[in-house]
Amino acid sequence: MDRVRGRFAPSPTGELHLGNARTALLAWLWAKRAGGGFTLRIEDLDRPRERPGMAERQIAELAWFGIDWDEGPDARTGVDAGPRGPYRQSQRTRLYEDAVRALGDEVYECFCSRAEIAAAASAPHGDEGPRYPGTCANLSSSERSERRRTRVPALRFRVPPGAVRFEDEIQGTQQFDVQAETGDFVLRRADGIHAYQLAVVVDDAAMGISQVLRGADLLSSTARQILLYRALGLAVPRWAHAPLLVSSTGERLAKRDRALSLDGLRGRNVDPRHIVDELLRLSGQPASPGQGLAERTRSFDLGKVPKSPLAVPDLWW
Ligand code: GLU
């Protein structure tokens, strides 16, 4: 098995936009630069939010863009290819259940509703909602059976106190205090859907992913994931979080902005090599118009990718 393996893991909830394409591109080049393998995983955990047929469209768009993978759903047939499948999270539930079981006493049942958690939180909420104050962390077994009569529990991970530090190969040294900032986080929702934080760790480990490159919006999630790697006794991969792409007025590129979706650009007959070149230029790499992806591998330098959000020039809109 290869020592270096990268991956791209889109959720089929909307069109792939330029930001996703940039992430796929950098993750691919980082892996290929080291002679590594590349996996495509479809993160279709949240079936209710999924758009039918979207995974197939994303696969087709990535292939058009020039990204290839040696493990994942085949670009033409959609059939899984590779020894560590299935490559769709909706088919990997058993592995997530095994991981929850392996975590043993580090997992507990939580009966709180969202409204109860919001009401109990003392600090203002960030993007990810209020910190969980640990209401259900120490319920007795009779209290649990009592609550189970009226509510289906979620499962939460008991977060150890203290700072989690890690090196990010784009953003530099990072430190998060997960217990203070997030509290015990959800591993499985009350509706039975496993949480992204758990699934991504189980899958990256089981699929032999040695390096994770993704958008900087997931930087704080990384600390939670490291805690799960440790609790499960798994090897932690290398991390690189690429700056978000924003419009020239600083707004985040929304998935719904069709003009900047790969599908929309393809519909306007934009040459994918031009998109590659522009995205690499924005990512601090030298311009080489007309070159395909393969030729860009040798000159790729992760160290040149800037840290702060990157404004996509208006001519793209
Ligand atoms: N599925 C996530 C997304 O589309 C990415 C998760 C990851 O790269 O860890 O935003």
Side-chain angles (χ1 to χ4, degrees):
M1 292 274 173
D2 30 34
R3 257 180 329 108
V4 172
R5 177 162 289 275
R7 48 72 153 181
F8 181 58
S11 305
T13 51
E15 308 272 354
L16 291 179
H17 58 83
L18 273 186
N20 303 119
R22 188 285 316 262
T23 299
L25 182 59
L26 297 186
W28 189 91
L29 286 168
W30 190 25
K32 294 290 152 180
R33 175 85 179 86
F38 199 68
T39 299
L40 177 70
R41 179 174 67 238
I42 304 298
E43 301 216 318
D44 56 354
L45 267 184
D46 197 345
R47 295 322 280 267
R49 281 187 56 227
E50 192 186 326
R51 303 238 319 260
M54 189 52 80
E56 288 63 37
R57 279 173 64 180
Q58 291 184 336
I59 290 169
E61 283 158 23
L62 282 170
W64 169 76
F65 185 54
I67 300 288
D68 60 8
W69 48 94
D70 58 312
E71 289 192 32
D74 182 86
R76 269 173 306 115
T77 61
V79 175
D80 278 341
R84 292 174 274 211
Y87 295 97
R88 292 169 200 258
Q89 290 189 324
S90 56
Q91 295 169 18
R92 300 178 62 82
T93 310
R94 211 172 42 78
L95 288 152
Y96 311 143
E97 283 166 358
D98 291 347
V100 167
R101 218 168 300 120
L103 288 168
D105 290 344
E106 304 308 303
V107 179
Y108 66 86
E109 291 178 329
C110 169
F111 299 88
C112 299
S113 68
R114 263 174 210 268
E116 285 161 350
I117 297 169
S122 47
H125 312 161
D127 278 358
E128 301 191 55
R131 171 180 180 274
Y132 181 64
T135 318
C136 295
N138 297 304
L139 296 179
S140 67
S141 65
S142 62
E143 284 169 322
R144 285 201 305 271
S145 352
E146 179 61 32
R147 284 175 177 66
R148 271 193 224 118
R149 285 166 39 184
T150 52
R151 281 191 190 174
V152 179
L155 298 178
R156 285 185 187 267
F157 176 62
R158 258 180 234 285
V159 172
V164 179
R165 274 167 72 95
F166 61 94
E167 281 309 313
D168 187 276
E169 302 198 24
I170 296 175
Q171 305 292 335
T173 305
Q174 301 293 311
Q175 179 165 319
F176 294 91
D177 186 333
V178 181
Q179 185 47 264
E181 290 156 25
T182 315
D184 297 342
F185 57 86
V186 171
L187 299 178
R188 197 182 74 198
R189 301 188 329 209
D191 62 5
I193 294 181
H194 288 92
Y196 156 70
Q197 308 293 356
L198 175 74
V200 76
V201 168
V202 169
D203 290 346
D204 280 338
M207 293 179 183
I209 304 302
S210 64
Q211 50 184 44
V212 170
L213 186 149
R214 56 190 174 194
D217 51 333
L218 291 167
L219 205 48
S220 72
S221 285
T222 303
R224 272 170 268 173
Q225 292 166 21
I226 289 171
L227 291 174
L228 290 177
Y229 275 100
R230 289 181 188 159
L232 289 164
L234 299 168
V236 180
R238 292 165 72 185
W239 307 103
H241 287 80
L244 297 182
L245 295 189
V246 295
S247 72
S248 57
T249 53
E251 287 145 332
R252 214 179 135 172
L253 298 190
K255 284 193 180 173
R256 60 184 170 275
D257 196 327
R258 253 196 70 74
L260 288 177
S261 70
L262 285 191
D263 192 53
L265 291 161
R266 185 182 186 179
R268 286 189 278 138
N269 286 324
V270 177
D271 184 340
R273 283 173 306 184
H274 177 60
I275 305 175
V276 166
D277 202 51
E278 287 296 319
L279 288 174
L280 286 181
R281 202 177 44 75
L282 274 176
S283 305
Q285 311 298 312
S288 323
Q291 276 198 347
L293 262 182
E295 295 110 299
R296 303 298 304 249
T297 313
R298 207 139 22 99
S299 62
F300 179 68
D301 183 355
L302 188 70
K304 292 206 175 111
V305 177
K307 285 186 189 185
S308 34
L310 304 174
V312 177
D314 279 341
L315 69 110
W316 284 89
W317 297 93

